[in-house]
């Protein structure tokens, strides 16, 4: 089969690799219907994260089950499934505590699992899925192709945006600032509106993303950054700052912007993958009673809650995909996102 391999900085290739096979009683093989490029994939693509050796890449996909191990009970051949961006069993203490990203027997796509089998990267034609019962979420069929982009967001960006909002404690009547206008930040706007926020300020300097943020529920746009950005937020929030701030980038600058945009007693929910050395200024947090909560999003646990709204059309996170390409053009998909010619690229094998 064909799958995406990263060889180094700006060196993405589609290569022939071995077909996945069932190697334990609890795994499955999924034929990928759609995958995508994530903002976090750009860190190794840009060379910010070093690629020491060529390896498979991609961690977001939906597809149809082609084979299952003899101990798989909840997933069947022919099921349409959503795969979260990690592997989990759904039964360990951490999974039951709502932190399935810290599953005691879980793992990550593109690596060997705990039993030595390979969990293929998501940007390929097929994927071997370890711990299939805990990892995969079955979508009741039949699945209309028009729903595929929205379902794909539940593998990562919609659930991650939701995690930012949940971590910050967004509720009815809140004022919310979203720092970051990538796919996660835009989905965080959806999440904030869904949870009842009435003032939603999207920090964005790009006209196309500003338009999408407004479509998703943003009531205001702030293009300024730094001190000017903080002042603009305060002008929209009675001079004190926002109740909740959702940090969806992961840099030192974005975290600083988020913390200073919160009102005294406010809360920052952060989900941006840390790059660029973000640190918490504990003294400043202490002095203003600002809280910080978040981390890697346990999206598998959010799918059941969010799926009905995607299926009904109540939310349309699939609109973050503004470019669709065949898997054969995966190198162009990375370039388009790197050059900000696309918010998020959907790949069809």
């Amino acid at each position: 089969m064909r799958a995406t391999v990263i060889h180094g900085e700006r060196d993405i290739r589609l290569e022939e690799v071995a077909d996945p096979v069932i190697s334990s009683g609890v795994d499955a093989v999924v034929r990928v219907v759609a995958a995508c490029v994530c903002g976090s994939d750009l860190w190794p693509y840009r060379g910010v994260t070093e690629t020491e050796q060529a390896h498979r890449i991609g961690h977001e996909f939906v597809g149809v089950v082609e084979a299952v191990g003899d101990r798989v009970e909840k997933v069947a051949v022919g099921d349409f499934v959503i795969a979260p961006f990690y592997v989990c069993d759904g039964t360990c203490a951490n999974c039951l505590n709502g932190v399935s990203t810290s599953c005691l027997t879980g793992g990550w796509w593109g690596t060997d699992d705990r039993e030595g089998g390979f969990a293929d990267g998501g940007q390929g034609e097929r994927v071997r899925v370890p711990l299939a019962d805990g990892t995969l979420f079955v979508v009741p069929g039949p699945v209309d192709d028009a729903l595929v982009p929205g379902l794909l967001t539940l593998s990562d960006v919609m659930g991650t945006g939701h995690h930012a909002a949940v971590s910050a404690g967004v509720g009815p009547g809140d004022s919310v600032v979203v720092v970051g206008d990538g796919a996660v930040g835009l989905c965080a706007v959806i999440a904030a509106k869904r949870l009842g926020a009435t003032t939603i300020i999207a920090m964005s300097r790009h006209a196309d993303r500003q338009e999408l943020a407004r479509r998703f529920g943003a009531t205001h746009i702030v293009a300024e950054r730094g001190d000017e950005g903080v002042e603009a937020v305060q002008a929209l929030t009675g001079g004190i700052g926002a109740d909740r701030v959702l940090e969806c980038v992961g840099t030192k600058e974005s975290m600083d912007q988020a913390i200073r945009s919160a009102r005294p007693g406010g809360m920052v929910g952060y989900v941006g993958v840390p790059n660029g050395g973000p640190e918490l200024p504990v003294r400043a947090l202490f002095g203003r009673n600002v809280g910080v909560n978040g981390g890697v999003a346990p999206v598998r646990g959010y799918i059941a809650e969010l799926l009905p709204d995607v299926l009904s059309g109540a939310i349309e996170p699939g609109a973050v995909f503004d470019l669709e390409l065949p898997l054969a053009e995966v190198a162009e998909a990375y370039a388009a996102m790197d050059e900000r010619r696309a918010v998020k690229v959907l790949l069809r094998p």
Side-chain angles (χ1 to χ4, degrees):
M1 71 167 191
R2 300 177 304 162
T4 304
V5 179
I6 184 168
H7 285 259
E9 184 177 346
R10 290 181 168 78
D11 188 358
I12 290 286
R13 308 178 196 177
L14 189 66
E15 299 181 352
E16 290 290 331
V17 300
D19 290 333
V21 295
I22 297 295
S23 61
S24 76
V26 295
D27 52 356
V29 172
V30 173
R31 173 178 58 82
V32 176
V33 170
C36 54
V37 179
C38 181
S40 63
D41 293 331
L42 297 180
W43 296 121
Y45 179 76
R46 292 168 173 161
V48 176
T49 301
E50 184 179 357
T51 300
E52 297 181 355
Q53 60 183 12
H55 60 84
R56 299 277 288 282
I57 193 169
H59 53 258
E60 301 157 278
F61 65 94
V62 295
V64 176
V65 177
E66 288 194 336
V68 296
D70 58 11
R71 288 186 286 143
V72 173
E73 298 178 351
K74 299 177 181 178
V75 177
V77 172
D79 284 344
F80 188 99
V81 292
I82 300 169
F85 63 83
Y86 55 91
V87 172
C88 59
D89 61 24
T91 60
C92 76
N94 289 337
C95 286
L96 295 178
N97 284 333
V99 196
S100 53
T101 45
S102 296
C103 177
L104 296 174
T105 61
W108 309 97
W109 304 114
T111 65
D112 288 341
D113 66 18
R114 301 297 178 96
E115 297 181 356
F118 185 65
D120 301 79
Q123 294 165 10
E125 293 179 321
R126 287 176 176 79
V127 176
R128 173 186 169 268
V129 179
L131 303 175
D133 280 340
T135 301
L136 297 173
F137 190 99
V138 177
V139 179
V143 174
D144 190 311
D145 189 65
L147 288 171
V148 166
L151 297 175
L152 182 55
T153 67
L154 298 181
S155 69
D156 188 344
V157 291
M158 185 60 228
T160 298
H162 179 69
H163 185 58
V166 170
S167 296
V170 174
D174 278 344
S175 59
V176 175
V177 169
V178 178
V179 179
D181 63 357
V184 171
L186 291 167
C187 286
V189 171
I190 295 175
K193 180 180 180 181
R194 182 179 175 275
L195 293 173
T198 50
T199 298
I200 303 173
I201 303 165
M203 302 197 78
S204 173
R205 291 177 286 194
H206 304 89
D208 56 340
R209 299 176 188 224
Q210 292 173 357
E211 181 180 352
L212 198 50
R214 288 191 182 279
R215 172 180 167 182
F216 286 164
T219 56
H220 302 83
I221 302 293
V222 167
E224 295 84 357
R225 294 292 183 271
D227 293 341
E228 291 183 356
V230 172
E231 291 170 3
V233 167
Q234 290 178 342
L236 294 168
T237 55
I240 61 171
D243 299 317
R244 319 291 171 188
V245 183
L246 314 185
E247 192 285 309
C248 303
V249 182
T251 65
K252 180 178 181 179
E253 294 76 14
S254 62
M255 182 62 80
D256 175 72
Q257 190 76 72
I259 291 170
R260 294 200 292 138
S261 296
R263 66 165 171 79
M267 176 68 78
V268 174
Y270 73 100
V271 293
V273 179
N275 272 282
E279 297 179 355
L280 295 181
V282 175
R283 184 75 183 185
L285 295 171
F286 180 86
R288 297 174 57 238
N289 283 279
V290 171
V292 179
N293 185 33
V296 57
V299 300
R300 177 61 176 80
Y302 294 136
I303 297 176
E305 176 184 350
L306 298 172
L307 178 61
D309 283 357
V310 171
L311 294 176
S312 71
I315 60 174
E316 297 179 301
V320 298
F321 293 107
D322 54 350
L323 178 61
E324 181 175 325
L325 293 172
L327 183 62
E329 297 181 30
V330 65
E332 167 59 16
Y334 274 77
M337 286 186 60
D338 177 50
E339 296 164 10
R340 299 186 75 88
R341 291 184 281 112
V343 176
K344 194 165 179 69
V345 184
L346 187 145
L347 296 167
R348 298 271 192 175

